[in-house]
Amino acid sequence: LHGLVAVALLGAITHQALADIVGTHRETVTRTLGDLRDRGLIALQRNQIEVLDPTSLRTLSGHGSDGADADAS
């Protein structure tokens, strides 16, 4: 499974619970997860988010490959 990272969530977690954790609306979580799935960055399964392309996901988040802020000097 070279290059793949799977994140198993402990117990069932809803889109609403994820929204509460990150401070946004459920609709935003649903839309964002769907977009990331459509881009091929993640795969969604019951109680699991599988990161298929961690490098692209990190870049999209605004962080470089070393995890540092892209805006940091």
Side-chain angles (χ1 to χ4, degrees), residues 2 5 8 10 16-18 21 32 39 43-44 47 49 56 63 70:
H2 178 68
V5 177
L10 299 175
Q16 183 62 57
L18 285 173
I21 290 167
T32 301
R39 291 177 183 216
L44 301 171
N47 298 330
I49 299 170
S56 294
H63 294 273

Side-chain angles (χ1 to χ4, degrees), residues 18-72:
L18 285 173
D20 292 343
I21 290 167
V22 298
T24 191
H25 299 280
R26 181 199 53 78
E27 294 84 357
T28 302
V29 169
T30 300
R31 185 173 49 250
T32 301
L33 290 174
D35 181 50
L36 294 173
R37 181 199 59 226
D38 293 347
R39 291 177 183 216
L41 302 178
I42 64 171
L44 301 171
Q45 299 175 6
R46 184 171 176 82
N47 298 330
Q48 190 174 43
I49 299 170
E50 183 178 5
V51 178
L52 302 175
D53 188 346
T55 302
S56 294
L57 191 60
R58 188 178 298 113
T59 299
L60 184 64
S61 75
H63 294 273
S65 60
D66 63 358
D69 243 348
D71 296 330

